[in-house]
Amino acid sequence: MKPGYKAIYEQYRLSITSGLLKPGDKVPAVRVLANELGVARKTVETAWAILVGEGYLVSQGARGTRVNPDLVLARQSTVHSDISAAESPLRTGDTFRDLPGFLRLGMPSLDAFPYKKWLLLCGKAVRAMQPMEMTNPPLLGYMPLREAIAQYVNISRGLACTPEQIFITSGYNNNLRLILNTLGNANDKVVFEDPGYFFGQQALKRAVQNLHYVPVDNQGLNVGYLQHYHSDAHFVFVTPSHHSPLAVTLSLPRKHQLLDWARQNNRWIIEDDYDGEFHYTRKVLPALKSLDTHDRVIYMGTFSKTVMPALRVSYIVMPRATVAQFREAGELTESGQPVLTQKILAAFLSEGHFYKHLKKMRSLYSQRRKMMLAALEQVYPGIFNVEVNDGGMHIIAFLQNSTQDVDLAHIWQSHQLQVSPLSRWYNQTSKRYGLIMGYTNVRTFEEAVALLQRPARETQALLSVT
Ligand SMILES: Cc1ncc(COP(=O)(O)O)c(C=O)c1O
């Protein structure tokens, strides 16, 4: 549901009174926020007008709108003090990932990255480095970045968290280690989607002894199956906004079923929202976490898809009651993330460049996906079948009449096309076969055709023998 002016007004007023937005902080331009939320400009303008009228915001013409620099708040909100109180008492294989090449999965469009802006922010961050910031980095992350992320996930992904719930990490593997160390025991049952994120499975196979799989169908994770066979699972990993790799969305009834199950049995759901930002045919759906009234979801987000994988910045939104536990476990196993990177990223978010970039990428990916689908049809008519869904950064070219996706992927990889065979992402559910490919870095239809033609002869030869 689209937020009305009242919801936007209340969200921003809370952000200001709770200290998430500070006097002098810039708020997004009307146009940018309206686009991001999919609402009319008038809706945002009305919310801003009330906040200006009440003295929370001041409009500075072309310089934008800011939180009133003269604002003096009587007290911090209860949300903040609750968390600080919760935090303080316990203050005690064959990987294809590194191969160079084209059609790589999950890679943002590198040609469209705002390099100039990024360089400016890097320069600024380096020049503003304080001696204090050269000591050990803060364990849970650089506070302005935690604040900017809280603001972002609350507005764009429908969460209702505070910066104190954000733990800045270096990626999926770091998240796994942290979550398992903090909330798990050696023999806990862990459930993963089948098929499911290839690298996630590999990491979990090494990390846990009691790993099981639950099938995924066209409504996402089969929650009935989970309840029937693995109701004793301690952790369930899901990609609800956009399943990895099948790209389906967990249906609303299943979302509720999963949340109810977790609440009734005290289980943990780990929501991997790795590319939920990218939907093209409908409005971006709020995260599963937005429906989580009982705080059973540990939410994981990453900047690998929205900014760049080399950044190595991701985050966990910790359930409120677990913040102290995470800190305690983190003190033993973590060392914080580089402050400079976090400063640059914090500026990228809080100055609004991130929102603009996302908007640009959504429309670019939608165009590039169309081009790729047309090129596949031209070069391989009748060989692949693509089930077009409404989002993501990859497509699956399902093989119509063959199970040879592993051999086929080897052929394509020998032409520097770094596709992945779908069947390798399955464990026990009856497999489907095809090639998973990224399209985000293919700039033109002609380029897509030329790349796809590279292995055409060998592809025909392999499939005609099958
Ligand atoms: C399903 C899934 N989850 C999470 C990630 C994010 O990983 P990281 O933050 O380590 O780059 C990826 C990246 O490829 C992914 O495909």
Side-chain angles (χ1 to χ4, degrees):
M1 211 178 50
K2 293 179 185 182
Y5 76 87
K6 226 172 149 192
I8 300 173
Y9 156 78
E10 273 164 5
Q11 177 70 53
Y12 271 85
R13 198 187 55 167
L14 180 66
S15 294
I16 295 168
T17 54
S18 67
L20 185 51
L21 280 173
K22 300 203 171 46
D25 279 358
K26 225 171 158 183
V27 296
V30 169
R31 185 179 38 82
V32 172
L33 188 62
N35 272 330
E36 184 58 29
L37 298 175
V39 299
R41 287 187 193 186
K42 189 83 199 138
T43 310
V44 178
E45 274 166 10
T46 308
W48 270 199
I50 301 173
L51 289 165
V52 169
E54 290 181 348
Y56 287 109
L57 297 182
V58 285
S59 166
Q60 298 180 321
R63 285 170 52 219
T65 303
R66 291 177 187 274
V67 179
N68 187 348
D70 301 325
L71 190 68
V72 182
L73 293 168
R75 59 181 182 85
Q76 292 288 296
S77 92
T78 49
V79 188
H80 259 234
S81 40
D82 280 349
I83 289 295
S84 328
E87 221 182 355
S88 50
L90 269 171
R91 251 204 59 82
T92 59
D94 60 334
T95 164
F96 38 87
R97 178 149 51 185
D98 288 343
L99 298 175
F102 303 93
L103 309 187
R104 288 187 52 174
L105 300 181
M107 200 52 60
S109 295
L110 301 177
D111 59 317
F113 186 73
Y115 289 102
K116 272 196 191 154
K117 182 57 69 187
W118 190 259
L119 281 179
L120 268 172
L121 297 178
C122 289
K124 251 187 176 170
V126 171
R127 285 193 297 275
M129 204 72 189
Q130 302 294 320
M132 258 312 285
E133 291 169 352
M134 297 175 189
T135 64
N136 294 336
L139 183 66
L140 276 70
Y142 176 63
M143 193 37 108
L145 180 60
R146 295 169 75 194
E147 288 168 349
I149 291 173
Q151 180 82 7
Y152 164 65
V153 292
N154 289 351
I155 298 272
S156 293
R157 309 296 298 123
L159 272 59
C161 67
T162 63
E164 286 78 5
Q165 285 175 264
I166 309 286
F167 199 135
I168 310 283
T169 55
S170 66
Y172 194 90
N173 289 337
N174 189 179
N175 296 345
L176 284 194
R177 181 177 71 226
L178 195 51
I179 294 169
L180 296 174
N181 279 343
T182 305
L183 300 174
N185 284 307
N187 275 321
D188 285 338
K189 185 183 268 195
V190 179
V191 160
F192 207 76
E193 295 166 319
D194 194 23
Y197 175 41
F198 182 80
F199 292 110
Q201 291 180 47
Q202 306 310 313
L204 273 171
K205 278 179 189 162
R206 283 179 165 252
V208 303
Q209 289 153 20
N210 200 359
L211 179 62
H212 297 265
Y213 298 92
V214 167
V216 170
D217 58 27
N218 60 6
Q219 291 186 60
L221 187 84
N222 186 334
V223 183
Y225 184 103
L226 167 75
Q227 288 172 306
H228 193 261
Y229 294 102
H230 299 300
S231 204
D232 55 339
H234 189 65
F235 294 114
V236 177
F237 284 78
V238 266
T239 48
S241 293
H242 185 244
H243 175 260
S244 169
L246 296 179
V248 292
T249 302
L250 188 64
S251 68
L252 192 60
R254 290 226 182 136
K255 282 183 179 161
H256 285 294
Q257 197 183 351
L258 184 61
L259 291 168
D260 286 347
W261 166 82
R263 175 175 54 78
Q264 283 158 12
N265 300 286
N266 258 350
R267 310 302 187 207
W268 292 117
I269 300 167
I270 299 166
E271 173 173 18
D272 177 8
D273 197 26
Y274 67 107
D275 74 351
E277 286 87 357
F278 298 114
H279 282 270
Y280 317 125
T281 54
R282 59 167 161 78
K283 198 178 142 1
V284 173
L285 275 185
L288 172 68
K289 176 78 186 159
S290 70
L291 304 172
D292 177 28
T293 47
H294 287 74
D295 236 5
R296 300 312 304 173
V297 176
I298 303 160
Y299 176 93
M300 311 198 301
T302 179
F303 290 99
S304 290
K305 317 288 174 184
T306 49
V307 180
M308 61 175 109
L311 201 64
R312 302 317 311 147
V313 180
S314 60
Y315 50 95
I316 292 173
V317 180
M318 302 170 276
R320 280 161 204 253
T322 65
V323 170
Q325 268 169 285
F326 269 98
R327 174 184 277 285
E328 199 181 9
E331 269 167 4
L332 302 176
T333 60
E334 306 301 315
S335 18
Q337 305 303 330
V339 172
L340 192 55
T341 311
Q342 296 184 69
K343 281 187 94 164
I344 299 164
L345 188 58
F348 193 62
L349 264 80
S350 62
E351 292 179 16
H353 312 299
F354 180 68
Y355 290 91
K356 269 190 224 151
H357 183 56
L358 276 188
K359 181 170 176 260
K360 188 167 135 199
M361 291 300 102
R362 265 184 216 124
S363 99
L364 187 69
Y365 292 168
S366 157
Q367 280 168 27
R368 289 189 173 177
R369 189 171 69 152
K370 271 194 207 130
M371 260 162 24
M372 188 68 177
L373 293 175
L376 256 178
E377 191 46 40
Q378 173 162 322
V379 182
Y380 296 104
I383 289 189
F384 295 114
N385 174 31
V386 182
E387 291 166 9
V388 182
N389 50 70
D390 77 335
M393 295 166 72
H394 67 259
I395 52 175
I396 305 181
F398 290 98
L399 277 168
Q400 306 254 46
N401 299 308
S402 167
T403 56
Q404 303 244 69
D405 62 354
V406 174
D407 292 343
L408 191 58
H410 280 140
I411 293 174
W412 284 45
Q413 285 165 9
S414 71
H415 290 273
Q416 278 72 53
L417 304 182
Q418 300 309 344
V419 295
S420 175
L422 174 62
S423 62
R424 298 265 321 275
W425 296 51
Y426 282 86
N427 281 280
Q428 59 199 35
T429 308
S430 50
K431 294 183 168 122
R432 298 182 73 189
Y433 300 86
L435 299 179
I436 313 177
M437 54 186 86
Y439 54 81
T440 44
N441 283 289
V442 180
R443 287 162 300 179
T444 60
F445 174 73
E446 291 70 28
E447 192 179 315
V449 169
L451 287 174
L452 293 172
Q453 271 169 344
R454 287 182 180 190
R457 209 170 29 82
E458 290 153 86
T459 299
Q460 298 286 1
L462 176 81
L463 298 179
S464 59
V465 175
T466 312

